[in-house]
Every structure is written in C-alpha cells, then in structure tokens.
Amino acid sequence: MISKRLLVAIILLLVLETFTTGIYTVINTKNIMDIFNFNKGKDIYMSMINGLQGRKGTLKIESLLVSYLIIIFGLNHFVLQPATQGKKKLNESLKDAFILGTVITGTFGTVVYSIFDNYPLAHVIGDTIYSGCLFSLITYVVLTYIK
C-alpha cells in the first residue's frame, strides 16, 4: 500500500518538473502563454538533445517515468522514512534532501557533460542546484503538511 506522503511526493515531483519545463519554454519563446504548452517545451528540449547527439532522438516517456519512480524511491528511503520514524528532525531532513538531489543530478549531469562536447556546463550546475532545492521543497511540503 502506498502511503499518502509518498503519493504526495510523486505528485509534487511531476507537477514541479512540469512547471519548470513550462518556465524554460517561456524563457525560450518569450511568450508567457507557452507556460502550459508542453509539446513546445518538449520540442525545445529535444532540439537541444538532437544537437548534442547529432541526430533526431525521441523522448521515451516510459523510461522517464521509471527515472522519476527511482528518484522518489531514493527520496522516500533516505529522507522521508527516517524523518517520519522520528530518526531525524526537519532541518536535518531538508539538508539530506538537498544533498541527495544534488548527488543524483550532479552525477548524471557531469557524466553527460563528459560525453557530449556541446553540453553546457551551466546546465550541469543549474540542474544540480535546482534538483537539491526541488528535493528539499518536496521534503518540506510532505513532512510539514501531510499527516
């Protein structure tokens, strides 16, 4: 049985990642109405990937969803469960969530950066910091507001 906290963490991750894609789309198109145009956001992202790999790629939604499940599993196992069992205080859990987010994304980003010559270092740094903040935000909301 999936817990209410875990379900909220999954939903928050998907909503916040979608919102971030919308913001990235608006930055690229300069049109605020594109914040909800997910196809345009996907197209912008895929054009960057196509440029990196030198050929047209396709977004594999199933694989993307599995990666989110793995991320939520790690957040739940290493941060949320210890906090809900009283083993850690909120501030310790927020720090652990930030570290976990930066380690996961930083590892991925630096590997991608090492493989693709044109992958921007700014993306590695920005995504790494963003993920730490995202993990901490999800942890804060789940531990503070979901009982």
Side-chain angles (χ1 to χ4, degrees):
M1 178 77 174
I2 189 166
S3 74
K4 189 191 311 187
R5 284 185 166 148
L6 187 57
L7 182 61
V8 168
I10 293 168
I11 292 168
L12 278 173
L13 177 66
L14 294 173
V15 166
L16 292 171
E17 281 290 317
T18 302
F19 180 69
T20 304
T21 301
I23 291 173
Y24 183 73
T25 304
V26 168
I27 289 170
N28 281 280
T29 64
K30 312 286 190 271
N31 182 353
I32 190 69
M33 297 308 292
D34 285 337
I35 196 162
F36 299 111
N37 189 338
F38 305 116
N39 282 329
K40 191 173 280 189
K42 182 187 82 155
D43 291 344
I44 291 169
Y45 178 76
M46 289 309 296
S47 72
M48 181 184 78
I49 297 301
N50 295 343
L52 290 172
Q53 67 183 16
R55 62 180 169 80
K56 188 172 194 253
T58 56
L59 183 63
K60 298 175 183 88
I61 297 295
E62 299 84 7
S63 181
L64 183 64
L65 292 174
V66 169
S67 73
Y68 285 143
L69 289 175
I70 292 168
I71 287 170
I72 288 296
F73 171 79
L75 183 64
N76 185 57
H77 182 78
F78 294 111
V79 179
L80 299 176
Q81 279 185 354
T84 57
Q85 294 169 353
K87 296 177 182 174
K88 294 194 176 196
K89 295 183 180 183
L90 180 61
N91 62 344
E92 293 174 287
S93 297
L94 294 176
K95 181 183 78 174
D96 289 347
F98 184 84
I99 291 169
L100 183 63
T102 57
V103 166
I104 289 171
T105 306
T107 301
F108 172 78
T110 53
V111 168
V112 170
Y113 183 73
S114 72
I115 295 170
F116 293 108
D117 294 334
N118 298 329
Y119 195 75
L121 181 59
H123 282 237
V124 176
I125 295 167
D127 285 350
T128 300
I129 294 169
Y130 166 77
S131 291
C133 294
L134 178 65
F135 276 45
S136 292
L137 177 63
I138 291 170
T139 298
Y140 179 79
V141 170
V142 168
L143 296 180
T144 304
Y145 297 107
I146 308 302
K147 302 295 177 199

